[in-house]
């Protein structure tokens, strides 16, 4: 009886998975290895070897790696401060970090476009200080800034959640044994926070690697990442076969990165 109830409860989730995960994935695999006439081919996957496709992939890997590192550099000290201040998950400070996740990401990136453009808020402020305008928009740095801003909460929350589970007695014991703050941080706190770091890296690196909206808006259509190439193949060129082939290559990178990171994740790095 209990098994039947569990099956019944799982039916909506199984239906959702089949309709929005399994079926689309099967379609992508089908289009990736077939021509428009339906015959088998590897040419679509081989399109990644072309420079116009290979370059955006390398650039996407570099920018997503840079944004992930920056997110960690900002998130870990902040999460450690929140943990030491005993700020609970239901506090106003925690709410401030969660609040941006409730807003549409495109609206947030469009706001940064207004700030960074040639006659934007930041450049007008520089002129007010009698400083020259800076070319901030339509650069890789603007894209990295957008990625860090957009995905930073996804790095902070899992790290904070893991740090908050560390027993104070464990840290106090390290101090009692004569360890300095940095020694305790390196040999006690950092190893115990690995599950949260792994979860944060996964939730930042994967969307940063696949994004095309941020590079479209903050890159001005001048900087192409692999996500932009795939998006154009589906929309502008209406070539689902090549778009699916490039998507398969991107999925391989994502699966590989998640497989490596999963070796260090014990399931304690959940966001809540």
């Amino acid at each position: 009886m209990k098994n039947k109830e569990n099956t019944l409860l799982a039916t909506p989730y199984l239906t959702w998975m089949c309709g929005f995960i399994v079926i689309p994935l099967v379609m992508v695999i089908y289009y990736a290895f077939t021509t428009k006439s339906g015959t088998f081919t590897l040419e679509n996957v081989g399109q990644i070897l072309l420079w116009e496709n290979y370059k955006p992939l390398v650039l996407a890997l570099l920018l997503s790696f840079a944004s992930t590192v920056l997110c960690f550099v900002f998130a870990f000290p902040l999460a450690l401060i929140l943990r030491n201040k005993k700020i609970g998950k239901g506090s106003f400070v925690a709410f401030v970090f969660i609040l941006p996740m409730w807003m549409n990401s495109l609206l947030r990136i469009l706001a940064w476009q207004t700030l960074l453009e040639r006659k934007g808020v930041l450049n007008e402020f520089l002129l007010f200080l009698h400083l020259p305008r800076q070319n901030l928009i339509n650069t890789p740095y603007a894209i990295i800034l957008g990625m860090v801003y957009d995905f930073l909460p996804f790095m902070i929350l899992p790290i904070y959640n893991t740090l908050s589970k560390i027993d104070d007695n464990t840290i106090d014991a390290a101090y009692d044994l004569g360890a300095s703050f940095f020694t305790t941080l390196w040999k006690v706190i950092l190893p115990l926070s690995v599950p949260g770091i792994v979860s944060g890296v996964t939730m930042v690196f994967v969307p940063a690697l696949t994004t095309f909206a941020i590079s479209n808006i903050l890159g001005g259509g001048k900087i192409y990442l692999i996500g932009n190439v795939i998006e154009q193949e589906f929309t502008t060129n209406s070539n689902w076969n090549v778009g699916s082939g490039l998507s398969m290559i991107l999925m391989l990178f994502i699966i590989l990165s998640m497989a490596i990171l999963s070796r260090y994740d014990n399931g304690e790095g959940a966001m809540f």
Side-chain angles (χ1 to χ4, degrees):
M1 184 67 180
K2 188 175 182 179
N3 291 333
K4 291 183 179 180
E5 292 178 353
N6 293 336
T7 303
L8 185 62
L9 291 173
T11 300
Y13 300 99
L14 294 175
T15 304
W16 177 272
M17 289 176 59
C18 290
F20 295 97
I21 299 178
V22 177
I23 295 177
L25 186 59
V26 171
M27 291 180 63
V28 168
I29 295 174
Y30 170 77
Y31 281 113
F33 295 103
T34 57
T35 62
K36 291 185 177 181
S37 60
T39 58
F40 177 80
T41 182
L42 295 175
E43 184 178 351
N44 299 322
V45 178
Q47 292 290 314
I48 195 63
L49 298 178
L50 298 179
W51 177 245
E52 58 266 26
N53 298 327
Y54 178 75
K55 180 182 177 181
L57 175 61
V58 174
L59 184 58
L61 288 169
L62 292 175
L63 295 186
S64 57
F65 177 78
S67 62
T68 303
V69 171
L70 287 174
C71 281
F72 173 73
V73 169
F74 292 132
F76 191 86
L78 184 55
L80 189 60
I81 292 172
L82 294 177
R83 188 260 178 201
N84 291 338
K85 294 295 183 180
K86 305 297 182 182
I87 296 176
K89 299 176 184 177
S91 67
F92 176 76
V93 176
F95 172 75
V96 169
F97 291 107
I98 299 174
L99 183 61
M101 299 168 63
W102 295 356
M103 299 173 57
N104 188 288
S105 61
L106 288 179
L107 294 178
R108 288 182 275 151
I109 299 305
L110 286 170
W112 272 108
Q113 184 185 38
T114 304
L115 292 173
L116 299 176
E117 60 187 2
R118 187 66 178 171
K119 294 184 178 180
V121 176
L122 290 181
N123 272 319
E124 292 299 324
F125 180 70
L126 291 176
L127 286 179
F128 176 76
L129 297 177
H130 303 286
L131 297 173
R133 294 180 185 270
Q134 299 296 318
N135 185 25
L136 302 174
I137 199 70
N138 302 337
T139 63
Y141 305 106
I143 296 176
I144 291 176
L145 178 61
M147 288 179 176
V148 171
Y149 173 76
D150 211 23
F151 304 132
L152 183 59
F154 296 100
M155 182 71 78
I156 295 175
L157 293 175
I159 293 178
Y160 167 71
N161 185 55
T162 304
L163 289 175
S164 63
K165 294 179 180 179
I166 299 177
D167 193 346
D168 289 337
N169 293 327
T170 303
I171 299 175
D172 292 338
Y175 288 133
D176 292 339
L177 292 173
S180 64
F181 169 76
F182 291 103
T183 301
T184 303
L185 178 64
W186 180 254
K187 294 191 175 183
V188 178
I189 299 176
L190 196 60
L192 292 176
S193 61
V194 166
I197 295 173
V198 170
S199 296
V201 168
T202 303
M203 289 190 288
V204 171
F205 181 78
V206 172
L209 180 62
T210 58
T211 186
F212 61 89
I214 295 177
S215 51
N216 268 341
I217 297 172
L218 299 182
K222 299 178 181 179
I223 301 174
Y224 284 90
L225 304 182
I226 189 63
N228 300 103
V229 176
I230 294 173
E231 186 257 346
Q232 285 194 350
E233 290 293 344
F234 277 100
T235 57
T236 305
N237 300 336
S238 297
N239 194 336
W240 287 33
N241 301 91
V242 173
S244 298
L246 297 177
S247 298
M248 289 296 298
I249 299 297
L250 194 58
M251 279 193 284
L252 288 178
F253 277 95
I254 294 172
I255 292 172
L256 179 62
S257 63
M258 294 184 68
I260 295 173
L261 291 172
S262 65
R263 297 180 59 186
Y264 305 95
D265 188 7
N266 60 9
E268 295 181 3
M271 291 179 63
F272 299 102

